[in-house]
Amino acid sequence: MTSYPFQTIDVFGEGAFAGNPLAVITTPHDLDLATMQRVTRWLNLSETTFLLPPTDPDADYRVRIFTLDRELPFAGHPTLGTCHAWLAAGGVPRAGDMVVQQCGAGLVRVRRDGDSLAFAAPPLIRSGPVDDEKLREVAAILDIAVEDVVDAAWVDNGPGWVAVMLGSAEAVLAVEPARHHPARVEIGVVGFHPAGSAEAYEIRSLFSDSFGGLVEDPVTGSLNASVAQWLLGTERVTAPYIVAQGTRLGRRGRIRIDQDKDGQVWIGGNTATLFSGVAEI
């Protein structure tokens, strides 16, 4: 067995142990696919990343991102958490406060602003309205009436997200979804808080595990990125603003949404190393 540096990062948490945990293992070269997947399953977090030297000359580091059943080309909270781990280990960006991550989806910019990190939201690969059949499927999973859905859209930036908007944040928090579904789904549920609230809206994310079970994620960067693009594009919100997630799971996830003068959407939040040591692999 070989020892590799290991960190567990809390991402998007408003306070310690409030966000979404991420395991980051630093290796000098790629481990074999079966080993990385086995380690991820054993750790049993929503994602584990493997931090590697870049192969692209424009990148500061490279990352491979694993869920319990597959490798992802990109994911949001693993991007911020891995960037945090790289910086905490002494990484120095080539371009000042802009870090460039190499991942399966290509190069992703991560902006450093004091103690906060934010990634540039990737473009949607599928957008537009949801057909009636898909909407009925999603409503059945959420155990709500189709008439309860204010709006719905594909907001897919890789994982396959479809988003539904309900009438309020309260309605979002009241949803009691199914625990199992035979087909893979990735669903985001959104509802606005009353005007003047600290958070613009509440968001929940549900996705399939490898056994057909439905899992709720504490805080989801990729979903927040795509939903922000949807809501900003339909002029339902104006950046900057804050989103709440993880409430039903006893977490206090807070996601900061910003948009620069070029229209680029940035997804930011707190990151903190809560555990560190070595992984024996």
Side-chain angles (χ1 to χ4, degrees):
M1 302 181 82
T2 304
S3 298
Y4 300 106
F6 170 88
Q7 296 183 53
T8 303
I9 315 296
D10 185 275
V11 183
F12 291 122
E14 192 79 358
F17 304 101
N20 200 353
L22 174 76
V24 183
I25 300 169
T26 302
T27 64
H29 53 77
D30 287 284
L31 305 180
D32 68 87
L33 182 64
T35 296
M36 290 187 284
Q37 190 68 75
R38 186 170 68 251
V39 169
T40 301
R41 287 175 180 154
W42 185 85
L43 287 167
N44 201 35
L45 298 175
S46 58
E47 281 106 350
T48 292
T49 66
F50 294 84
L51 175 57
L52 297 147
T55 58
D56 189 309
D58 294 326
D60 290 303
Y61 65 85
R62 180 165 60 99
V63 63
R64 295 184 68 175
I65 303 167
F66 285 82
T67 71
L68 297 181
D69 67 339
R70 57 178 171 154
E71 183 174 5
L72 296 179
F74 169 81
H77 104 273
T79 291
L80 294 191
T82 303
C83 183
H84 173 98
W86 181 76
L87 291 167
V92 178
R94 305 179 190 202
D97 286 328
M98 190 68 72
V99 182
V100 179
Q101 170 182 283
Q102 179 186 357
C103 59
L107 299 181
V108 176
R109 291 177 295 154
V110 183
R111 187 173 65 185
R112 185 168 53 167
D113 183 12
D115 295 331
S116 179
L117 297 173
F119 67 86
L124 299 183
I125 60 176
R126 184 177 185 183
S127 59
V130 177
D131 62 51
D132 291 344
E133 182 180 357
K134 186 66 177 181
L135 186 57
R136 285 193 296 269
E137 178 190 19
V138 170
I141 292 169
L142 300 178
D143 194 24
I144 61 174
V146 171
E147 293 74 24
D148 293 333
V149 177
V150 175
D151 198 3
W154 287 102
V155 290
D156 183 13
N157 54 12
W161 296 112
V162 59
V164 295
M165 181 185 295
L166 303 186
S168 66
E170 184 179 10
V172 170
L173 292 172
V175 167
E176 297 285 355
R179 295 181 178 272
H180 184 275
H181 189 65
R184 179 181 287 278
V185 292
E186 288 85 12
I187 301 170
V189 192
V190 182
F192 281 91
H193 285 282
S197 300
E199 294 80 32
Y201 52 84
E202 193 80 26
I203 191 167
R204 295 174 68 183
S205 64
L206 304 164
F207 59 89
S208 301
D209 66 18
S210 55
F211 304 103
L214 290 181
V215 178
E216 181 166 356
D217 199 36
V219 197
T220 315
S222 63
L223 175 63
N224 273 283
S226 58
V227 166
Q229 288 165 302
W230 175 42
L231 298 181
L232 287 164
T234 55
E235 299 184 344
R236 289 185 167 99
V237 290
T238 302
Y241 63 89
I242 297 173
V243 181
Q245 190 176 359
T247 307
R248 278 294 303 267
L249 301 177
R251 308 288 178 87
R252 187 174 170 80
R254 293 296 182 269
I255 305 92
R256 293 190 280 274
I257 311 296
D258 197 6
Q259 190 172 30
D260 63 27
K261 60 183 177 60
D262 298 321
Q264 174 64 58
V265 176
W266 294 86
I267 310 301
N270 297 332
T271 57
T273 301
L274 299 185
F275 299 95
S276 62
V278 294
E280 300 288 343
I281 300 175

